[in-house]
Amino acid sequence: MPNSQTALIFNIQHFCLHDGPGIRTTVFFNGCPLRCPWCCNPEALNTKPVLLHDITKCTFCHRCESICKQAAIEINESNWKLKQELCDSCGKCTEMCLNEALKLSGKIYHIHDVFEEVKKDIEFYKTSGGGVTLSGGEVLTQIEFAEQLSEALHKEKIHVACETTACSTPDKFERLLKVIDYFMIDLKHYNKEKLEKVCNGNLELINKNIEKVLLSGKPVVGRIPVIPGFNFSMNDMKEYAKYAAKLGIQEIHLLPFHQLGEMKYIQLNKEYKMKGYMPLHKEDLIPYADYFTNIGLTVQIGG
């Protein structure tokens, strides 16, 4: 299991253009306190590696079932089932699969390995004003590793940004605040009751942490995922404007809802609650962007 020198990470993505200034390498941490129905990385909610099953590649050959010592896999004719509570994430079934129908998402990385991987792009950071972004999931769930990685990057004069829900205890957030240069904070909703009911979020806690960043003087971007049936109306945007003004946020990024994560829910055998909702496009959010611009905020659509 992870310790201060290791972390559970489900992806390291190079040449990212929408995760902070310049060209960036984004490190995706596992674990998240929220449970947003539209989450495009449901495999990252867990604090252990999780097994994804692609039924389109599966031949139901029983090889994975036979190798599993925990009896976590059960196959009946053309029905493949994982008993998640029994799975110990050993990954042996993925090695046995002849058709690459099984994939283990999430891997324990040593800090040295992550540092060496992201440092490969240091020349791109220098020429573009970029750096490394810590994302997720939620980076605050593995704060010790985030601290040490950020400190190592700063020694190489590499800019460090993070995308965070800011839904964490004050002590953890203060530790993150000390080592991050640029904050992108998800503004899931402005209403306390709705945020708690739909996303399991604590708005009071989030607001206090946002205020700390703003007081520090470090750059802050509020990122609004625009979701049908949740916050997709002009009235919602007007309420967000009041919310941003109250906190003191000056820059807003509008993120259009998409269905790119739906297949992962199928592979995890989880219910996808946003099934049937039409994805949004940048053009759909132009009226909202115009509204924010007209009241003096800096706005960007899609990143």
Side-chain angles (χ1 to χ4, degrees), residues 143-160:
I143 185 61
E144 294 85 0
F145 188 92
E147 283 178 312
Q148 293 188 45
L149 177 60
S150 298
E151 289 167 358
L153 292 168
H154 282 147
K155 287 179 181 178
E156 295 290 326
K157 302 189 184 306
I158 296 174
H159 182 272
V160 184

Side-chain angles (χ1 to χ4, degrees), residues 59-89:
T59 59
F60 308 98
C61 66
H62 294 268
R63 287 171 64 88
C64 57
E65 183 182 33
S66 64
I67 196 66
C68 182
K69 294 182 179 180
Q70 305 301 321
I73 297 173
E74 185 178 283
I75 300 176
N76 292 314
E77 297 181 354
S78 60
N79 182 39
W80 190 99
K81 181 180 179 181
L82 176 69
K83 300 174 185 176
Q84 196 69 249
E85 70 280 3
L86 297 180
C87 179
D88 62 1
S89 306

Side-chain angles (χ1 to χ4, degrees), residues 11 13 31 70 79-80 87 109 113 129 137 160 174-175 198 205 208 210 217 227 230 249 272 283 287 293 295 299-300:
N11 193 15
Q13 188 172 330
Q70 305 301 321
N79 182 39
W80 190 99
C87 179
Y109 281 83
D113 298 323
V160 184
E174 286 170 8
R175 291 167 66 181
V198 177
L205 189 61
K208 288 179 181 178
I210 292 175
I227 310 298
F230 181 64
I249 293 175
Y272 182 53
E283 299 76 36
T293 299
I295 62 173
V299 187
Q300 182 176 319

